Amino acid sequence: MRVAIASDHGGFEQKQALVAYMESELGCEVIDMGPDSDASVDYPDFAVKVAEAVSTGDAERGVLVCGTGIGMALAADKVAGVRASSITSVPFAELFRQHNNGNVVCLSGRFVELELNEQIVKTFLETEFEGGRHEARVAKIMALD
Ligand code: RB5
């Protein structure tokens, strides 16, 4: 799967580790959209890069990491076609895919350990949307774009 990833300074360290994890353990083709260092940056600038990659179909899914995951989710979700959420547990990652057909997962680099974020990413990338009764609900969300 082709996956776009980015962070701000609060998520930089985990972003670097997650790129390696997704490539080596999950066999993903990862597009690292920056930043290249832990220097202070504004998270919306990086959220939009990943959100647009997903929106245009350049990437199938997106991963964003900031201090909390919240700012990234707020920014990414503004882009049409994107369903982004801050996720801090594996069950929520599973439901985000099964019920919401989420396509951009936003992680906390400061309050969630790397090992848990790896499991969240694995679940996010490997869980299918259930469709069925969720189809019309997700369509109503997308009609708000
Ligand atoms: C940056 O200090 C911090 O605000 C950011 O990483 C993120 O947590 C925003 O939601």
Side-chain angles (χ1 to χ4, degrees):
M1 185 185 293
R2 198 168 147 87
V3 182
I5 188 169
S7 73
D8 72 354
H9 49 286
F12 177 75
E13 200 177 314
Q14 285 213 20
K15 189 257 290 177
Q16 300 302 99
L18 287 167
V19 170
Y21 172 74
M22 286 192 286
E23 287 176 342
S24 64
E25 301 297 319
L26 304 182
C28 295
E29 181 187 349
V30 181
I31 314 162
D32 185 347
M33 308 193 92
D36 298 328
S37 79
D38 64 0
S40 183
V41 293
D42 295 335
Y43 57 82
D45 298 337
F46 289 86
V48 75
K49 289 175 194 274
V50 165
E52 285 180 350
V54 171
S55 176
T56 60
D58 186 31
E60 196 173 330
R61 304 265 171 86
V63 178
L64 288 163
V65 196
C66 66
T68 59
I70 296 170
M72 286 294 198
L74 290 171
D77 209 50
K78 297 282 186 192
V79 176
V82 168
R83 293 174 296 280
S85 181
S86 160
I87 298 290
T88 55
S89 74
V90 169
F92 274 31
E94 195 170 25
L95 287 164
F96 180 48
R97 287 290 310 136
Q98 289 174 334
H99 289 193
N100 311 115
N101 200 11
N103 53 15
V104 176
V105 73
C106 303
L107 306 172
S108 167
R110 287 187 178 145
F111 298 94
V112 176
E113 295 297 320
L114 175 63
E115 292 68 25
L116 176 52
N117 275 333
E118 287 175 346
Q119 292 312 302
I120 289 170
V121 168
K122 178 177 167 63
T123 302
F124 168 69
L125 295 178
E126 294 182 352
T127 304
E128 293 299 322
F129 177 48
E130 276 181 7
R133 70 187 191 280
H134 303 294
E135 201 81 59
R137 294 166 184 167
V138 172
K140 286 186 179 185
I141 297 172
M142 301 325 289
L144 300 172
D145 269 349

